[in-house]
């Protein structure tokens, strides 16, 4: 079995929990996952390849190291569904500033091998 390791370095990263869109729970910050979900890893590999590949063709493992995590503000523009203009196809949006967690100096290590 041949395999290889890929390391991706960043300044910040936020791995959104796929169960939530832009909303949060009360005034709590939008949490970050401390490791990307499988759909994010698959998306990264498709982008690197330049097209789709069947995830069943590879054995993939990954881990994330980071120096710390912190919180910053992000403005989410949430659509007001009741204000949709059917003639123009437009809809009003309201800003919704939120606190968002993010990882500082993350390193994503991918382990890839073919079966």
């Amino acid at each position: 079995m041949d395999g290889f390791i890929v390391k991706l370095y960043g300044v910040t990263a936020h791995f959104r929990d796929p169960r939530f869109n832009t909303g949060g729970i009360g005034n709590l910050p939008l949490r970050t996952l401390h490791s990307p979900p499988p759909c994010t890893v698959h998306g990264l590999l498709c982008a690197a390849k330049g097209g789709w590949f069947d995830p069943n063709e590879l054995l993939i493992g990954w881990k994330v190291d980071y120096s710390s995590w912190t919180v910053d503000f992000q403005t989410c523009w949430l659509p007001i569904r009741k204000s949709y203009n059917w003639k123009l196809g437009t809809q009003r949006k309201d800003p919704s500033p939120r606190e968002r967690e993010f990882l500082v100096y993350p390193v994503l290590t991918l382990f890839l091998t073919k079966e």
Side-chain angles (χ1 to χ4, degrees):
M1 241 190 325
D2 291 331
F4 59 96
I5 295 175
V6 177
K7 285 194 172 194
L8 302 170
Y9 297 85
V11 177
T12 63
H14 173 83
F15 300 115
R16 183 179 64 81
D17 189 333
R19 296 174 296 172
F20 300 104
N21 187 7
T22 56
I25 300 172
N27 291 328
L28 296 175
L30 297 170
R31 303 292 308 261
T32 183
L33 299 175
H34 292 235
S35 181
C39 58
T40 300
V41 173
H42 184 250
L44 284 169
L45 295 173
C46 287
K49 180 184 177 195
W52 178 263
F53 80 89
D54 184 1
N56 295 322
E57 293 177 2
L58 291 175
L59 293 174
I60 305 170
W62 63 91
K63 72 173 192 154
V64 174
D65 297 307
Y66 52 90
S67 63
S68 67
W69 61 268
T70 188
V71 176
D72 198 2
F73 275 104
Q74 173 188 9
T75 300
C76 301
W77 289 89
L78 303 176
I80 309 297
R81 302 210 189 286
K82 292 180 181 177
S83 69
Y84 186 78
N85 183 329
W86 290 97
K87 289 184 180 182
L88 299 176
T90 59
Q91 161 170 309
R92 199 179 62 145
K93 298 176 187 169
D94 278 346
S96 178
R98 305 267 187 192
E99 288 184 329
R100 180 177 293 275
E101 290 181 355
F102 62 93
L103 307 178
V104 180
Y105 297 118
V107 179
L108 173 61
T109 305
L110 300 170
F111 307 96
L112 303 158
T113 184
K114 284 195 172 213
E115 292 188 66

